[in-house]
Amino acid sequence: QLCTFAQPARSRAGCSKAPHVAYHRWYRCDAFVRAAMRLLTHNMLVSNAKGVSEAEGYPLALEVTEHRREETEFDVETTRKTMETVRYDALRGAARAVAIDLPEVYDGDDEDVLRRVHEALCDVHIIEGCLVCPKSGRRFPINNGIPNLLLHEDEL
């Protein structure tokens, strides 16, 4: 069951569950589902676990329990420009987690490859799952499309 995102977090119109605090435990609020994490975001995230350097904490492994695909407009030049800042090896690994097979080597001149890269970067929305630090194994949850990389007090 979905509620309507119409008013501030504690009292949303159309919501049958009260009090409404950001999202329901048993019911997903459609406003938060829309704001799901994309693989483009995943490509920029690095572990901040104690004792893990930036090089050791990237890329985070992606474990997906729920995702959706929402087609967006494909533009060759925009995709090429975006790929200038994307680490392809990390994107390829994340794409495998959602059953998208990208070629071993990125070819920005091949429109079919660019379409598949665009699909992976922009059309896949991660709803639930977790990100895993490659060095420490620390798991960072993704709930309602929002990755939580906050450390617990004892991890600071």
Side-chain angles (χ1 to χ4, degrees):
Q1 182 175 354
L2 300 176
C3 72
T4 312
F5 183 63
Q7 295 180 355
R10 294 203 184 264
S11 63
R12 294 212 173 108
C15 180
S16 62
K17 302 294 174 195
H20 191 299
V21 182
Y23 59 86
H24 307 300
R25 289 178 190 233
W26 302 282
Y27 297 89
R28 179 161 302 137
C29 174
D30 62 345
F32 289 95
V33 171
R34 273 191 233 113
M37 186 184 89
R38 296 181 187 195
L39 296 189
L40 179 58
T41 303
H42 168 268
N43 201 270
M44 299 176 211
L45 298 176
V46 63
S47 174
N48 59 354
K50 189 175 186 177
V52 177
S53 70
E54 187 172 320
E56 295 170 323
Y58 184 88
L60 295 167
L62 179 61
E63 296 176 0
V64 179
T65 54
E66 183 182 349
H67 76 283
R68 73 173 189 278
R69 292 188 188 188
E70 218 173 88
E71 191 173 330
T72 57
E73 185 177 338
F74 170 68
D75 180 69
V76 171
E77 290 310 312
T78 302
T79 304
R80 279 191 188 124
K81 188 75 174 162
T82 301
M83 285 304 292
E84 292 175 9
T85 60
V86 169
R87 290 198 32 198
Y88 186 72
D89 58 330
L91 173 62
R92 192 166 176 257
R96 276 193 299 268
V98 291
I100 295 177
D101 186 34
L102 295 176
E104 194 169 325
V105 178
Y106 170 70
D107 179 3
D109 293 325
D110 184 336
E111 190 170 323
D112 181 55
V113 169
L114 288 169
R115 282 186 184 282
R116 289 173 24 202
V117 164
H118 169 83
E119 178 188 6
L121 287 173
C122 301
D123 295 352
V124 173
H125 300 257
I126 309 300
I127 310 295
E128 300 288 333
C130 75
L131 301 165
V132 182
C133 175
K135 180 172 184 199
S136 69
R138 169 68 157 84
R139 300 171 70 78
F140 300 97
I142 303 168
N143 293 311
N144 291 318
I146 302 169
N148 180 353
L149 278 82
L150 295 175
L151 297 174
H152 300 289
E153 204 170 296
D154 62 330
E155 296 175 308
L156 300 174

